[in-house]
Short mmCIF file of all heavy atoms in Angstrom, two decimals:
data_model
loop_
_atom_site.label_atom_id
_atom_site.label_comp_id
_atom_site.label_asym_id
_atom_site.label_seq_id
_atom_site.Cartn_x
_atom_site.Cartn_y
_atom_site.Cartn_z
N LEU A 148 79.92 20.86 5.03
CA LEU A 148 80.33 19.51 4.64
C LEU A 148 79.45 18.53 5.41
O LEU A 148 79.36 18.60 6.64
CB LEU A 148 81.80 19.30 5.00
CG LEU A 148 82.39 17.90 4.80
CD1 LEU A 148 82.51 17.57 3.32
CD2 LEU A 148 83.76 17.81 5.48
N SER A 149 78.80 17.60 4.70
CA SER A 149 77.84 16.72 5.38
C SER A 149 77.81 15.34 4.75
O SER A 149 78.21 15.14 3.60
CB SER A 149 76.44 17.34 5.34
OG SER A 149 75.97 17.44 4.01
N SER A 150 77.30 14.39 5.52
CA SER A 150 77.02 13.03 5.04
C SER A 150 75.76 12.56 5.76
O SER A 150 75.39 13.10 6.81
CB SER A 150 78.19 12.09 5.34
OG SER A 150 78.12 11.59 6.67
N PRO A 151 75.08 11.53 5.24
CA PRO A 151 73.84 11.08 5.88
C PRO A 151 74.03 10.34 7.19
O PRO A 151 73.06 10.07 7.89
CB PRO A 151 73.22 10.17 4.81
CG PRO A 151 74.37 9.71 3.98
CD PRO A 151 75.33 10.86 3.96
N ILE A 152 75.27 9.99 7.56
CA ILE A 152 75.47 9.20 8.78
C ILE A 152 76.22 9.97 9.86
O ILE A 152 76.53 9.40 10.92
CB ILE A 152 76.21 7.88 8.47
CG1 ILE A 152 77.62 8.16 7.93
CG2 ILE A 152 75.41 7.03 7.49
CD1 ILE A 152 78.48 6.91 7.79
N THR A 153 76.54 11.24 9.61
CA THR A 153 77.31 12.01 10.60
C THR A 153 76.71 13.40 10.78
O THR A 153 75.88 13.83 9.99
CB THR A 153 78.78 12.18 10.17
OG1 THR A 153 78.82 13.02 9.00
CG2 THR A 153 79.44 10.85 9.86
N ALA A 154 77.17 14.06 11.82
CA ALA A 154 76.88 15.49 11.95
C ALA A 154 77.67 16.24 10.88
O ALA A 154 78.69 15.77 10.37
CB ALA A 154 77.26 15.98 13.34
N SER A 155 77.20 17.42 10.50
CA SER A 155 77.88 18.22 9.49
C SER A 155 78.91 19.13 10.14
O SER A 155 78.91 19.33 11.36
CB SER A 155 76.87 19.04 8.70
OG SER A 155 76.16 19.91 9.56
N THR A 156 79.79 19.68 9.32
CA THR A 156 80.77 20.65 9.79
C THR A 156 80.81 21.82 8.82
O THR A 156 80.52 21.66 7.63
CB THR A 156 82.18 20.00 9.91
OG1 THR A 156 83.09 20.94 10.48
CG2 THR A 156 82.70 19.59 8.55
N THR A 157 81.11 23.01 9.31
CA THR A 157 81.06 24.21 8.47
C THR A 157 82.37 24.98 8.55
O THR A 157 83.13 24.86 9.51
CB THR A 157 79.91 25.14 8.89
OG1 THR A 157 80.11 25.55 10.26
CG2 THR A 157 78.56 24.43 8.78
N ARG A 158 82.60 25.79 7.52
CA ARG A 158 83.72 26.70 7.48
C ARG A 158 83.31 27.87 6.59
O ARG A 158 82.37 27.78 5.80
CB ARG A 158 84.99 26.04 6.97
CG ARG A 158 84.89 25.49 5.59
CD ARG A 158 86.13 24.69 5.17
NE ARG A 158 87.27 25.54 4.90
CZ ARG A 158 88.40 25.53 5.61
NH1 ARG A 158 88.55 24.69 6.62
NH2 ARG A 158 89.39 26.34 5.29
N SER A 159 84.03 28.98 6.69
CA SER A 159 83.73 30.16 5.89
C SER A 159 84.41 30.05 4.52
O SER A 159 85.52 29.53 4.41
CB SER A 159 84.22 31.41 6.62
OG SER A 159 83.99 32.57 5.86
N HIS A 160 83.71 30.53 3.49
CA HIS A 160 84.30 30.53 2.15
C HIS A 160 83.90 31.81 1.42
O HIS A 160 82.73 32.20 1.40
CB HIS A 160 83.81 29.32 1.34
CG HIS A 160 84.52 29.18 0.03
ND1 HIS A 160 85.74 28.56 -0.09
CD2 HIS A 160 84.18 29.61 -1.22
CE1 HIS A 160 86.13 28.60 -1.35
NE2 HIS A 160 85.20 29.23 -2.06
N THR A 161 84.90 32.48 0.83
CA THR A 161 84.66 33.74 0.13
C THR A 161 84.79 33.53 -1.37
O THR A 161 85.81 33.01 -1.85
CB THR A 161 85.66 34.81 0.59
OG1 THR A 161 85.49 35.03 2.00
CG2 THR A 161 85.42 36.12 -0.14
N LEU A 162 83.75 33.94 -2.10
CA LEU A 162 83.73 33.83 -3.55
C LEU A 162 84.05 35.19 -4.16
O LEU A 162 83.46 36.21 -3.78
CB LEU A 162 82.35 33.37 -4.00
CG LEU A 162 82.20 32.84 -5.43
CD1 LEU A 162 83.09 31.62 -5.65
CD2 LEU A 162 80.74 32.47 -5.69
N THR A 163 85.03 35.23 -5.05
CA THR A 163 85.44 36.47 -5.71
C THR A 163 85.10 36.40 -7.19
O THR A 163 84.79 35.33 -7.72
CB THR A 163 86.95 36.71 -5.52
OG1 THR A 163 87.68 35.65 -6.18
CG2 THR A 163 87.32 36.73 -4.04
N PRO A 164 85.13 37.55 -7.91
CA PRO A 164 84.76 37.54 -9.33
C PRO A 164 85.60 36.57 -10.16
O PRO A 164 86.78 36.34 -9.88
CB PRO A 164 85.00 38.99 -9.76
CG PRO A 164 84.83 39.78 -8.51
CD PRO A 164 85.38 38.92 -7.42
N GLY A 165 84.96 36.05 -11.20
CA GLY A 165 85.62 35.08 -12.06
C GLY A 165 86.22 35.71 -13.30
O GLY A 165 86.66 36.86 -13.29
N TYR A 166 86.21 34.96 -14.39
CA TYR A 166 86.85 35.38 -15.63
C TYR A 166 86.02 36.48 -16.29
O TYR A 166 84.80 36.41 -16.33
CB TYR A 166 86.94 34.17 -16.55
CG TYR A 166 87.86 34.38 -17.74
CD1 TYR A 166 89.23 34.21 -17.60
CD2 TYR A 166 87.35 34.72 -18.98
CE1 TYR A 166 90.08 34.39 -18.69
CE2 TYR A 166 88.18 34.90 -20.08
CZ TYR A 166 89.54 34.74 -19.92
OH TYR A 166 90.37 34.91 -20.99
N PRO A 167 86.67 37.52 -16.84
CA PRO A 167 85.92 38.57 -17.55
C PRO A 167 85.11 37.98 -18.69
O PRO A 167 85.64 37.25 -19.53
CB PRO A 167 87.02 39.50 -18.07
CG PRO A 167 88.20 39.23 -17.20
CD PRO A 167 88.11 37.79 -16.82
N PHE A 168 83.83 38.30 -18.73
CA PHE A 168 82.94 37.68 -19.72
C PHE A 168 82.16 38.69 -20.54
O PHE A 168 81.95 38.51 -21.73
CB PHE A 168 81.97 36.75 -19.00
CG PHE A 168 80.94 36.12 -19.90
CD1 PHE A 168 81.29 35.13 -20.79
CD2 PHE A 168 79.61 36.54 -19.86
CE1 PHE A 168 80.36 34.55 -21.64
CE2 PHE A 168 78.65 35.97 -20.70
CZ PHE A 168 79.04 34.97 -21.59
N ASN A 169 81.71 39.77 -19.92
CA ASN A 169 80.81 40.67 -20.62
C ASN A 169 81.03 42.10 -20.12
O ASN A 169 81.81 42.34 -19.19
CB ASN A 169 79.36 40.25 -20.40
CG ASN A 169 78.45 40.66 -21.54
OD1 ASN A 169 78.84 41.46 -22.38
ND2 ASN A 169 77.24 40.13 -21.56
N ILE A 170 80.31 43.02 -20.73
CA ILE A 170 80.37 44.43 -20.32
C ILE A 170 78.95 44.87 -19.98
O ILE A 170 78.01 44.64 -20.73
CB ILE A 170 80.95 45.30 -21.44
CG1 ILE A 170 82.40 44.87 -21.74
CG2 ILE A 170 80.92 46.77 -21.06
CD1 ILE A 170 82.99 45.49 -22.96
N ALA A 171 78.82 45.48 -18.83
CA ALA A 171 77.51 45.93 -18.35
C ALA A 171 77.47 47.44 -18.29
O ALA A 171 78.48 48.11 -18.05
CB ALA A 171 77.22 45.34 -16.96
N GLY A 172 76.30 47.98 -18.51
CA GLY A 172 76.13 49.43 -18.46
C GLY A 172 75.02 49.83 -19.41
O GLY A 172 74.38 49.00 -20.04
N THR A 173 74.80 51.12 -19.53
CA THR A 173 73.72 51.63 -20.36
C THR A 173 74.20 52.80 -21.22
O THR A 173 74.90 53.69 -20.73
CB THR A 173 72.54 52.12 -19.49
OG1 THR A 173 72.09 51.04 -18.68
CG2 THR A 173 71.39 52.61 -20.35
N ILE A 174 73.84 52.75 -22.50
CA ILE A 174 74.05 53.89 -23.39
C ILE A 174 72.66 54.44 -23.74
O ILE A 174 71.76 53.67 -24.09
CB ILE A 174 74.80 53.48 -24.66
CG1 ILE A 174 76.25 53.11 -24.30
CG2 ILE A 174 74.79 54.61 -25.69
CD1 ILE A 174 77.09 52.70 -25.49
N PRO A 175 72.45 55.73 -23.61
CA PRO A 175 71.12 56.28 -23.87
C PRO A 175 70.60 55.91 -25.26
O PRO A 175 71.37 55.76 -26.21
CB PRO A 175 71.31 57.79 -23.74
CG PRO A 175 72.53 57.94 -22.87
CD PRO A 175 73.41 56.77 -23.21
N ALA A 176 69.30 55.77 -25.38
CA ALA A 176 68.69 55.42 -26.66
C ALA A 176 68.74 56.57 -27.65
O ALA A 176 68.60 56.36 -28.86
CB ALA A 176 67.24 54.98 -26.44
N SER A 177 68.94 57.78 -27.15
CA SER A 177 68.99 58.94 -28.05
C SER A 177 70.20 59.80 -27.67
O SER A 177 70.38 60.15 -26.51
CB SER A 177 67.70 59.76 -27.92
OG SER A 177 67.74 60.89 -28.76
N LEU A 178 71.03 60.09 -28.67
CA LEU A 178 72.21 60.89 -28.44
C LEU A 178 72.19 62.11 -29.37
O LEU A 178 71.87 61.98 -30.57
CB LEU A 178 73.49 60.09 -28.71
CG LEU A 178 73.71 58.85 -27.84
CD1 LEU A 178 74.95 58.10 -28.32
CD2 LEU A 178 73.86 59.23 -26.39
N ARG A 179 72.56 63.27 -28.87
CA ARG A 179 72.61 64.47 -29.70
C ARG A 179 73.96 64.54 -30.40
O ARG A 179 75.00 64.44 -29.76
CB ARG A 179 72.40 65.72 -28.84
CG ARG A 179 72.35 67.03 -29.65
CD ARG A 179 72.06 68.20 -28.74
NE ARG A 179 70.73 68.08 -28.15
CZ ARG A 179 69.61 68.46 -28.76
NH1 ARG A 179 69.67 68.97 -29.98
NH2 ARG A 179 68.46 68.34 -28.16
N SER A 180 73.90 64.67 -31.71
CA SER A 180 75.13 64.68 -32.50
C SER A 180 76.07 65.78 -32.01
O SER A 180 75.69 66.94 -31.88
CB SER A 180 74.80 64.90 -33.97
OG SER A 180 75.98 64.93 -34.74
N GLY A 181 77.31 65.40 -31.73
CA GLY A 181 78.34 66.34 -31.30
C GLY A 181 78.33 66.65 -29.83
O GLY A 181 79.27 67.24 -29.32
N SER A 182 77.28 66.26 -29.11
CA SER A 182 77.21 66.54 -27.67
C SER A 182 77.87 65.41 -26.89
O SER A 182 77.85 64.25 -27.29
CB SER A 182 75.75 66.69 -27.22
OG SER A 182 75.14 67.79 -27.86
N THR A 183 78.45 65.76 -25.75
CA THR A 183 79.10 64.74 -24.93
C THR A 183 78.08 64.02 -24.06
O THR A 183 77.10 64.61 -23.60
CB THR A 183 80.17 65.37 -24.01
OG1 THR A 183 79.55 66.33 -23.16
CG2 THR A 183 81.25 66.05 -24.84
N THR A 184 78.32 62.74 -23.88
CA THR A 184 77.46 61.90 -23.05
C THR A 184 78.35 61.07 -22.14
O THR A 184 79.08 60.19 -22.61
CB THR A 184 76.60 60.96 -23.91
OG1 THR A 184 75.80 61.73 -24.80
CG2 THR A 184 75.71 60.09 -23.03
N PRO A 185 78.38 61.35 -20.85
CA PRO A 185 79.22 60.55 -19.95
C PRO A 185 78.72 59.10 -19.89
O PRO A 185 77.52 58.86 -19.77
CB PRO A 185 79.07 61.23 -18.59
CG PRO A 185 78.20 62.40 -18.79
CD PRO A 185 77.64 62.39 -20.15
N LEU A 186 79.66 58.17 -19.97
CA LEU A 186 79.33 56.74 -19.90
C LEU A 186 80.15 56.08 -18.81
O LEU A 186 81.34 56.39 -18.64
CB LEU A 186 79.63 56.05 -21.24
CG LEU A 186 78.90 56.54 -22.49
CD1 LEU A 186 79.36 55.74 -23.69
CD2 LEU A 186 77.39 56.43 -22.30
#
Side-chain angles (χ1 to χ4, degrees):
L148 174 70
S149 64
S150 84
I152 63 172
T153 67
S155 60
T156 185
T157 61
R158 61 186 287 116
S159 178
H160 187 84
T161 300
L162 196 60
T163 63
Y166 193 82
F168 176 73
N169 208 347
I170 298 170
T173 302
I174 291 180
S177 179
L178 299 175
R179 184 177 295 277
S180 179
S182 297
T183 60
T184 301
L186 300 179

